[in-house]
Amino acid sequence: MAARRDWTRERLVQALRDGDRRALARAITLVENGDPLAYEVVGDLYPSTGHAYSVGLTGPPGVGKSSLVASLIRTVRADGRSVGVVSVDPSSPFTKGALLGDRIRLADHFLDPGVFIRSMGTRGHLGGLAEATLQAVLVLDAAGKDVVFLETVGTGQSEVGVITIADTVVLVLQPGSGDAVQALKAGIMEIPDVIAINKRDHPLARSALNEVRQVLSLGPKEGWVPPIVLTEATRDEGADELWTEIERHRVWLEAEGELEVRRRRNLAAEVFGLASTRARRALEDAVRDDPELARLLADVQERRLDPLSAVREILERVFHLGDDSGTDPR
């Protein structure tokens, strides 16, 4: 086995294609750190991706997403399929490390050679997904994982980033804590393909199910209607039914030709999302390092210059983007 210092581009790519666990850990670390080697490795592996099925689990904190992922892993592994897990946690504002990186609830699967689990910090990234999540999924895909679970930090209605990566999105709710009421808010019910109401032994579980069902009845009557599954993740109850619905959604996507459409749309969204993030960093760096650009920002703050005029000048100076077309710079 190659030592850490011996991971060349070629060795790392080959080891990943062979499903080597140490190579997986190393590659995802490189991706998280933005190491130039990571871009080369992901570029080499990318033509080999597109085989893994990705399932995103999102929802408010404390609803049992980790426990539910652990239950789903058991169901998938019982079928002999390999699994990758990317758990995105809130980052510490001080160290930028994942607060829940130990993933105690997934500990039963750490020694399973057919399961690879990795925690990642959001590092302040809006929407609950780390910037490196897509690349991590691609690496797991190229390494031969059949199913990849994405567990995202719950941030309420802003938790929509998972849509741009996952093939199937599972919204996890919990009765008795106001989650079902939150689900009534505009937008949140547009996220899931499948809904899991965890802790089904709770006396308000049926009430939560009926509330969510009523909301769904107000939506489109054609196409896919998200099924609702009651689960008790700590006892592995309902995991089989939940996985059945996830599989049923996959079959529907494939039959309707929507799986390829969704993946193409997701990848395009990720390209623009990553480009926007990098462009913003470039702008922030430019403004910080250029006194003239810093003056423009100060003029806006002092209300001597309106924001749109400042945007036009900054874009022209940094990216050489003029406004000749008359398009709104927003």
Side-chain angles (χ1 to χ4, degrees), residues 120-142:
M120 303 173 69
T122 58
R123 304 189 182 188
H125 186 65
L126 181 64
L129 288 179
E131 289 182 28
T133 304
L134 173 63
Q135 289 91 327
V137 171
L138 292 174
V139 168
L140 289 166
D141 187 349

Side-chain angles (χ1 to χ4, degrees), residues 26 37 60 97 154 232 317 327:
R26 181 59 179 154
L37 178 58
E232 184 60 56
R317 290 171 65 95
T327 55

Side-chain angles (χ1 to χ4, degrees), residues 247-309:
E247 288 275 66
R248 192 167 69 86
H249 180 245
R250 177 178 185 170
V251 170
W252 180 86
L253 286 174
E254 292 174 340
E256 296 294 322
E258 285 295 320
L259 182 57
E260 181 64 21
V261 171
R262 175 175 289 208
R263 287 180 171 179
R264 292 175 68 89
R265 182 178 65 241
N266 288 352
L267 288 169
E270 281 302 310
V271 168
F272 286 114
L274 292 173
S276 298
T277 299
R278 295 181 186 281
R280 175 168 180 163
R281 287 177 182 169
L283 285 170
E284 291 173 344
D285 291 344
V287 171
R288 184 181 61 249
D289 298 335
D290 187 324
E292 286 300 312
L293 293 180
R295 177 188 57 77
L296 286 173
L297 189 59
D299 285 346
V300 172
Q301 294 167 336
E302 296 298 328
R303 298 188 183 277
R304 292 190 295 266
L305 181 68
D306 68 278
L308 293 183
S309 295

Side-chain angles (χ1 to χ4, degrees), residues 39-172:
Y39 302 119
E40 298 174 349
V41 169
V42 172
D44 290 342
L45 293 172
Y46 188 68
S48 303
T49 61
H51 304 291
Y53 195 79
S54 57
V55 179
L57 285 89
T58 186
V63 296
K65 294 188 293 292
S66 293
S67 298
L68 199 54
V69 169
S71 294
L72 288 170
I73 291 174
R74 294 186 186 93
T75 299
V76 175
R77 290 294 292 143
D79 290 338
R81 284 178 280 189
S82 60
V83 176
V85 180
V86 178
S87 293
V88 183
D89 287 324
S91 293
S92 163
F94 304 105
T95 66
K96 304 302 181 185
L99 294 176
L100 303 177
D102 50 2
R103 286 291 148 199
I104 295 174
R105 294 173 184 83
L106 298 172
D108 290 346
H109 302 291
F110 285 157
L111 299 180
D112 184 344
V115 178
F116 184 88
I117 300 169
R118 181 62 174 257
S119 284
M120 303 173 69
T122 58
R123 304 189 182 188
H125 186 65
L126 181 64
L129 288 179
E131 289 182 28
T133 304
L134 173 63
Q135 289 91 327
V137 171
L138 292 174
V139 168
L140 289 166
D141 187 349
K145 298 304 178 187
D146 299 310
V147 178
V148 177
F149 289 108
L150 302 166
E151 181 201 345
T152 70
V153 55
T155 55
Q157 285 176 275
S158 65
E159 186 59 50
V160 297
V162 68
I163 295 176
T164 65
I165 295 180
D167 296 320
T168 295
V169 178
V170 179
L171 174 64
V172 186

